[in-house]
């Protein structure tokens, strides 16, 4: 742990007592060591050395240091109060490190990773030519092995003593992340305090998943520079992990004691992508006579129709219902929504948050889960069952940030080659001044376009309300299913009645005219199948509803996983191309 955060004497006389940099408490050194450098009094996370980080994250006995030894450089012949080579030599003598990053291979609960860990003690963890080279070589090792690449950052930024050559390391490492993206290799960033400048503006924020320790600061410009520029004090908590999480810039904040377990869960759900196999792919489930008049979704002649998934595909098998009664039932506050289903259909789930542009929409819940032992990206609408929960989730109305978060997760699913499941229950996209100022229409259209072209299987399920383009943004899928008590419409019945009938009280008539219920939507070819509900609707038995949903998803994914990427996208195109008003 750094002498900047915990007081300790020289190495020849190990400290028995240390002072917490957070609260000032004097603590027994062995106690704070047992707590992984976290103050037991105030929770302040003190800095760790690279070696301490590696021991805390990787399985004992699994660590293999990567044999990389880049050449030293002094491209500018730089001298401030001390010549750069002398300053670097002093850092080596003090820390015992070759450079400000240590790169190793190892395992996290048995899962292989390549790990690059920065050490702030070495010239403030600054990004030099050697550091950039070491990180790039470690990333190339991950690329060669097709193993996840995990970066633990702690840096003040680019190393000034190397001038523009240090700046070029930002480009080199960013290009590396692009190559890992193209190859489908997971990249995880663990942000520790502090992470600023060129490191923050390159590999630390380009990862697929960004996790931070409590209180860790991340930003391009440091707080002193910002305050000097704007000439006013910064808000409390500015640039901290918690601040960043609330603004959709990172995925999670986890205490140090939980980091290893959280990383293990993430590696488990993503590693399963390359390990899982789907049995019985030849016994594909039916896909005939569905959306589109040209049969673009047919599986071909001779495919055996297996109804084990319990999905109804014959409109005549569904009872006729009053569409207005269906609308009111679909809005029942007790109906399960995405958060209720996730714990019942996924054995593991790692939530991912934020649009990476400054916001995190509470109405959109998404992340990677294990479904029948295989990874899936699940994106759903969060609603809630009480007035407080509904308000916190913006009543299930996604903002532009929500659709951009969904788009980010869809792109990650495409990179990792895993299916996308969407669970939809929304009255529509969020209206209002802020939504329009932030490009609601653009966010929805981009999500529709992206989903229509995804090279992975996609299954959308309307679990309650399917409101307008806000629902379609998550429903441009290979298979669109809906629960029997759900509805799907171009506009709310009240909105249609007010606009076209001139009287919002005529909503029941509008609902009938719009044909929003499951039976009529199946007859129109808008959905591929209908999932029956337990007696009393899904609101009466969440467990039974989840079992029905699981069976339907299992069937759809078994079928779709058997198709290659070109066939998936071609059939999706043919389906949506075929819709007409005849």
């Amino acid at each position: 742990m750094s002498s900047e955060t915990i007081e300790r004497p020289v190495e020849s006389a190990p400290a028995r007592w240390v002072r917490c940099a957070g609260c000032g408490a004097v603590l027994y050194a062995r106690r704070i060591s047992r707590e992984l450098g976290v103050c037991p009094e105030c929770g302040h996370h003190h800095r760790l050395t690279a070696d301490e980080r590696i021991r805390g994250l990787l399985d004992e006995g699994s660590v293999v240091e990567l044999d990389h030894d880049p050449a030293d450089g002094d491209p500018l012949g730089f001298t401030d109060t001390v010549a750069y080579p002398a300053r670097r030599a002093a850092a080596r003598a003090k820390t015992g490190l070759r450079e400000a990053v240590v790169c190793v291979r190892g395992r996290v609960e048995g899962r292989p990773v390549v790990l690059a860990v920065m050490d702030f003690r070495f010239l403030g963890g600054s990004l030099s030519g050697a550091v950039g080279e070491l990180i790039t070589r470690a990333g190339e090792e991950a690329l060669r092995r097709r193993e996840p690449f995990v970066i633990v950052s702690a840096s003040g930024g680019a190393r000034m003593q190397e001038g523009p050559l240090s700046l070029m390391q930002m480009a080199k490492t960013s290009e590396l992340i692009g190559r890992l993206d193209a190859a489908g290799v997971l990249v995880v960033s663990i942000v520790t305090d502090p992470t600023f400048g060129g490191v923050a503006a390159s590999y630390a924020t380009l990862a697929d998943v960004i996790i931070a320790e409590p209180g860790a600061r991340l930003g391009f410009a440091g707080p002193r520079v910002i305050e000097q520029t704007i000439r006013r004090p910064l808000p409390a908590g500015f640039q901290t992990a918690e601040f960043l999480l609330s603004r959709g810039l990172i995925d999670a904040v986890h205490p140090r004691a939980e980091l290893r377990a959280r990383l293990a869960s993430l590696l488990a759900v993503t590693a399963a992508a390359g390990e899982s196999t789907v049995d019985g792919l030849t016994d594909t489930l039916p896909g005939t006579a569905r959306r589109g008049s040209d049969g673009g979704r047919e599986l071909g002649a001779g495919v055996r129709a297996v109804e084990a998934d319990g999905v109804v595909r014959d409109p005549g098998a569904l009872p006729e219902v009053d569409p207005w009664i269906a609308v009111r039932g679909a809005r029942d506050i007790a109906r399960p929504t995405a958060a209720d289903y996730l714990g019942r259909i996924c054995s593991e789930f790692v939530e991912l948050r934020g649009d990476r542009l400054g916001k995190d929409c509470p109405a959109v819940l998404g992340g990677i889960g294990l479904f029948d032992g295989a990874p899936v990206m699940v994106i759903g609408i969060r609603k809630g069952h009480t007035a407080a929960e509904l308000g916190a989730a913006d009543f299930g109305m996604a903002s532009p940030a929500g659709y951009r978060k969904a788009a980010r997760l869809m792109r990650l699913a495409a990179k990792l080659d895993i299916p996308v499941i969407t669970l939809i229950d929304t009255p529509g996209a969020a209206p209002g001044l802020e939504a329009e100022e932030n490009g609601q229409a653009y966010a929805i259209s981009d999500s529709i376009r992206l989903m229509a072209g995804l090279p992975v299987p996609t299954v959308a399920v309307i679990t309650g309300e399917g409101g307008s383009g806000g629902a379609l943004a998550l429903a441009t899928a290979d298979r669109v299913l809906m629960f029997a008590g759900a509805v799907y419409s171009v506009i709310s019945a009240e909105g249609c009645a007010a606009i076209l009938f001139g009287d919002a009280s005529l909503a029941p008539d509008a609902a009938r005219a719009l044909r929003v219920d499951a039976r009529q939507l199946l007859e129109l070819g808008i959905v591929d199948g209908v999932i029956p509900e337990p007696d009393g609707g899904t609101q009466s038995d969440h467990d039974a509803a989840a079992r029905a949903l699981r069976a339907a998803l299992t069937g759809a994914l078994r079928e779709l996983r058997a198709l290659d990427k070109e066939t998936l996208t071609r059939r999706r195109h043919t389906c949506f191309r075929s819709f007409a008003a005849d």
Side-chain angles (χ1 to χ4, degrees):
M1 286 166 275
S2 166
S3 61
E4 294 190 24
T5 55
I6 296 184
E7 296 179 1
R8 58 166 54 170
V10 295
E11 293 296 328
S12 58
R16 295 188 62 189
W17 300 92
V18 294
R19 186 180 300 278
C20 173
C23 65
V26 177
L27 304 165
Y28 189 44
R30 288 187 179 179
R31 181 185 182 192
I32 199 165
S33 180
R34 287 195 302 268
E35 299 291 336
L36 305 176
V38 179
C39 175
E41 301 296 329
C42 71
H44 181 77
H45 282 53
H46 297 94
R47 293 174 192 150
L48 298 181
T49 68
D51 184 58
E52 289 169 329
R53 289 277 177 199
I54 291 167
R55 290 201 309 268
L57 290 174
L58 297 184
D59 297 349
E60 186 177 356
S62 73
V63 180
V64 177
E65 189 163 355
L66 299 181
D67 187 18
H68 299 150
D69 189 16
D72 287 338
D74 183 15
L76 308 184
F78 194 97
T79 299
D80 42 61
T81 57
V82 179
Y84 174 44
R87 191 176 292 280
R88 183 170 53 205
R92 286 175 177 166
K94 177 182 177 181
T95 64
L97 299 177
R98 174 71 181 170
E99 255 295 351
V101 67
V102 178
C103 300
V104 300
R105 288 175 41 233
R107 293 181 175 272
V108 181
E109 295 190 8
R111 302 283 182 186
V113 295
V114 175
L115 192 65
V117 183
M118 305 192 74
D119 195 316
F120 195 81
R121 297 175 305 156
F122 196 106
L123 298 181
S126 51
L127 177 59
S128 65
V131 170
E133 184 66 17
L134 287 167
I135 288 173
T136 301
R137 291 184 188 181
E140 289 170 342
E141 183 79 359
L143 183 61
R144 184 176 70 81
R145 293 176 172 275
R146 293 297 194 270
E147 294 176 355
F149 186 38
V150 179
I151 303 164
V152 183
S153 58
S155 175
R159 189 169 296 174
M160 291 178 284
Q161 292 93 334
E162 294 189 15
L165 290 176
S166 176
L167 195 65
M168 292 304 103
Q169 304 312 307
M170 296 170 61
K172 181 165 74 177
T173 53
S174 297
E175 187 274 339
L176 163 73
I177 302 299
R179 283 189 284 150
L180 292 167
D181 288 342
V185 175
L186 178 72
V187 181
V188 180
S189 175
I190 298 178
V191 175
T192 74
D193 188 64
T195 298
F196 284 116
V199 170
S202 57
Y203 52 86
T205 53
L206 286 176
D208 301 309
V209 180
I210 303 176
I211 302 168
E213 289 189 333
R217 293 166 295 162
L218 170 71
F220 182 57
R224 283 188 302 175
V225 173
I226 297 172
E227 285 186 326
Q228 289 170 3
T229 302
I230 66 175
R231 299 187 181 280
R232 63 176 184 269
L234 298 173
F238 182 71
Q239 292 183 317
T240 63
E242 295 75 12
F243 175 92
L244 298 167
L245 182 66
S246 70
R247 284 155 178 80
L249 296 170
I250 63 176
D251 289 290
V253 177
H254 294 308
R256 187 173 292 160
E258 297 179 10
L259 274 180
R260 175 181 159 83
R262 298 291 185 172
L263 180 59
S265 294
L266 178 62
L267 296 177
V269 296
T270 53
E275 299 170 355
S276 61
T277 57
V278 180
D279 296 328
L281 287 178
T282 54
D283 293 329
T284 50
L285 289 156
T288 59
R290 284 178 289 184
R291 292 177 292 152
S293 59
D294 66 349
R297 292 180 177 251
E298 294 176 353
L299 292 180
V303 176
R304 182 164 58 94
V306 180
E307 295 294 339
D309 62 350
V311 174
V312 176
R313 296 178 175 82
D314 176 10
L318 295 170
E320 292 188 14
V321 299
D322 184 325
W324 178 241
I325 293 176
V327 168
R328 296 178 65 185
R331 294 173 177 172
D332 192 320
I333 198 172
R335 286 182 73 89
T337 58
D340 302 299
Y341 284 120
L342 273 172
R344 293 174 168 88
I345 66 172
C346 289
S347 56
E348 294 233 20
F349 181 73
V350 177
E351 183 178 0
L352 303 177
R353 292 179 57 177
D355 66 352
R356 293 286 198 271
L357 296 173
K359 292 183 180 294
D360 183 41
C361 174
V364 176
L365 170 65
I368 305 174
L370 283 183
F371 180 83
D372 288 341
V376 293
M377 183 69 74
V378 185
I379 303 168
I381 299 295
R382 192 198 319 257
K383 264 192 173 178
H385 303 294
T386 65
E389 290 174 346
L390 283 165
D394 291 338
F395 298 89
M397 296 185 294
S399 67
Y403 294 112
R404 289 175 180 132
K405 173 164 67 173
R408 178 173 81 86
L409 301 188
M410 289 181 202
R411 291 187 179 98
L412 178 55
K415 169 182 171 173
L416 299 177
D417 195 23
I418 61 176
V420 173
I421 295 170
T422 60
L423 304 176
I424 301 159
D425 184 8
T426 178
L433 179 62
E434 184 179 0
E436 293 303 316
E437 287 178 337
N438 285 281
Q440 184 69 289
Y442 299 95
I444 291 171
S445 62
D446 183 59
S447 183
I448 295 170
R449 176 179 60 182
L450 173 64
M451 197 172 188
L454 283 178
V456 295
T458 54
V459 182
V461 183
I462 300 164
T463 63
E465 288 184 276
S468 190
L472 180 63
L474 300 179
T476 313
D478 295 304
R479 295 290 175 267
V480 178
L481 307 174
M482 68 185 299
F483 273 98
V487 294
Y488 192 15
S489 178
V490 68
I491 191 173
S492 70
E494 294 88 343
C496 177
I499 294 170
L500 296 183
F501 299 172
D503 185 351
S505 69
L506 297 177
D509 295 328
R512 296 177 192 113
L514 288 168
R515 301 179 65 179
V516 299
D517 62 280
R519 185 179 192 275
Q520 295 191 83
L521 290 165
L522 184 59
E523 191 173 62
L524 288 168
I526 302 300
V527 299
D528 294 310
V530 175
I531 305 171
E533 300 190 7
D535 291 342
T538 60
Q539 58 268 44
S540 69
D541 192 335
H542 289 196
D543 290 332
R547 287 193 295 271
L549 175 62
R550 169 181 279 280
L553 290 172
T554 297
L557 291 175
R558 181 182 295 134
E559 173 195 334
L560 294 170
R561 283 191 175 110
L563 305 178
D564 59 53
K565 295 178 181 181
E566 182 180 350
T567 302
L568 279 173
T569 54
R570 174 174 52 81
R571 291 187 176 186
R572 206 179 297 142
H573 161 76
T574 301
C575 165
F576 289 103
R577 175 67 179 83
S578 68
F579 280 114
D582 55 3

